C-alpha cells in the first residue's frame, strides 16, 4: 500500500502509444500546475481540469510541437500561473530575487546585532558603579582590618 502513494492521476486512456512521447508528456505534466488544486502538478491531480490539460499536452505533442512550444501555448492560454516553476523574466525577477535578498538581509541584521552586543559587552553595559574617593578609602580600610578566612593571620 505504501508503494502506491506515489501513483499518478494519469488514466490508462490518456497514455500515448509512443513511449518517448508519453515520457515527454509526463515530464511536461510535472511542470504544469493544476488550476484547481494549485499546489499539485497536473500529473498528480485527479481534477477534471487537470485531465483536460493532460490531454491538451498530449494533443500538442502528437501534433509535433516541441516542449517549449507546448509550454508557450499553455502560458499564452492560461497565463504564467500555469507553470509550477515560473520563468526568470523581468516581471518575475522580484519573485526569484526576494528569497535570497531576505536571507541576506536577515544575515546582515544578525551580524549587526552581534557586533552591537560585543561592543556593549566590551565597553561595559552600565551595570558597574564607580566608587567615590571616600568609598574607596573605606573599602581599603575594611579589607586591611578583616582577615580573610582562607589565609592565616
Amino acid at each position: 500500500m505504501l508503494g502506491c502513494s506515489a501513483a499518478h492521476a494519469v488514466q490508462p486512456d490518456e497514455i500515448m502509444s509512443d513511449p518517448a512521447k508519453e515520457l515527454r508528456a509526463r515530464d511536461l505534466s510535472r511542470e504544469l500546475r493544476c488550476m484547481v488544486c494549485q499546489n499539485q502538478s497536473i500529473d498528480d491531480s485527479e481534477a477534471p481540469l487537470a485531465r483536460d490539460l493532460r490531454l491538451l499536452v498530449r494533443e500538442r505533442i502528437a501534433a509535433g510541437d516541441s516542449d517549449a512550444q507546448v509550454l508557450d501555448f499553455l502560458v499564452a492560454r492560461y497565463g504564467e500561473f500555469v507553470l509550477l516553476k515560473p520563468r526568470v523574466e523581468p516581471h518575475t525577477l522580484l519573485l526569484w530575487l526576494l528569497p535570497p535578498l531576505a536571507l541576506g538581509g536577515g544575515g546582515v541584521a544578525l551580524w549587526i546585532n552581534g557586533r552591537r552586543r560585543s561592543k556593549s559587552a566590551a565597553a561595559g553595559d552600565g551595570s558597574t558603579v564607580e566608587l567615590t574617593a571616600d568609598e574607596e578609602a573605606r573599602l581599603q580600610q575594611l579589607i586591611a582590618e578583616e582577615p580573610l578566612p582562607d589565609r592565616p593571620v
Side-chain angles (χ1 to χ4, degrees):
M1 191 69 164
L2 291 175
C4 296
S5 64
H8 299 284
V10 177
Q11 302 298 316
D13 61 331
E14 298 176 32
I15 297 175
M16 300 179 83
S17 58
D18 183 359
K21 288 183 179 180
E22 178 61 25
L23 182 62
R24 281 182 54 211
R26 295 299 287 270
D27 287 342
L28 285 172
S29 294
R30 286 185 202 99
E31 295 180 31
L32 298 169
R33 179 188 320 272
C34 174
M35 305 301 267
V36 176
C37 307
Q38 294 187 7
N39 236 3
Q40 282 185 317
S41 68
I42 62 172
D43 195 49
D44 297 327
S45 175
E46 293 184 18
L49 180 60
R51 176 182 165 79
D52 293 343
L53 287 173
R54 287 192 302 264
L55 290 172
L56 184 59
V57 166
R58 283 166 173 75
E59 285 175 17
R60 302 297 297 186
I61 289 173
D65 285 0
S66 68
D67 292 355
Q69 288 173 324
V70 172
L71 291 176
D72 289 341
F73 174 79
L74 290 169
V75 167
R77 193 167 187 182
Y78 296 102
E80 191 82 21
F81 185 72
V82 77
L83 299 175
L84 277 173
K85 182 180 174 188
R87 297 172 177 162
V88 180
E89 294 180 357
H91 67 277
T92 61
L93 203 55
L94 184 62
L95 178 70
W96 284 101
L97 293 180
L98 196 58
L101 288 175
L103 189 61
V108 167
L110 286 172
W111 180 72
I112 289 171
N113 189 26
R115 286 187 46 104
R116 283 185 186 162
R117 285 180 182 242
S118 67
K119 282 182 182 179
S120 68
D125 58 359
S127 64
T128 59
V129 178
E130 295 292 325
L131 298 176
T132 63
D134 291 336
E135 292 171 332
E136 187 70 38
R138 175 74 178 140
L139 180 63
Q140 292 303 324
Q141 180 186 4
L142 289 172
I143 292 172
E145 290 175 0
E146 192 174 319
L148 295 173
D150 58 343
R151 287 185 6 193
V153 180

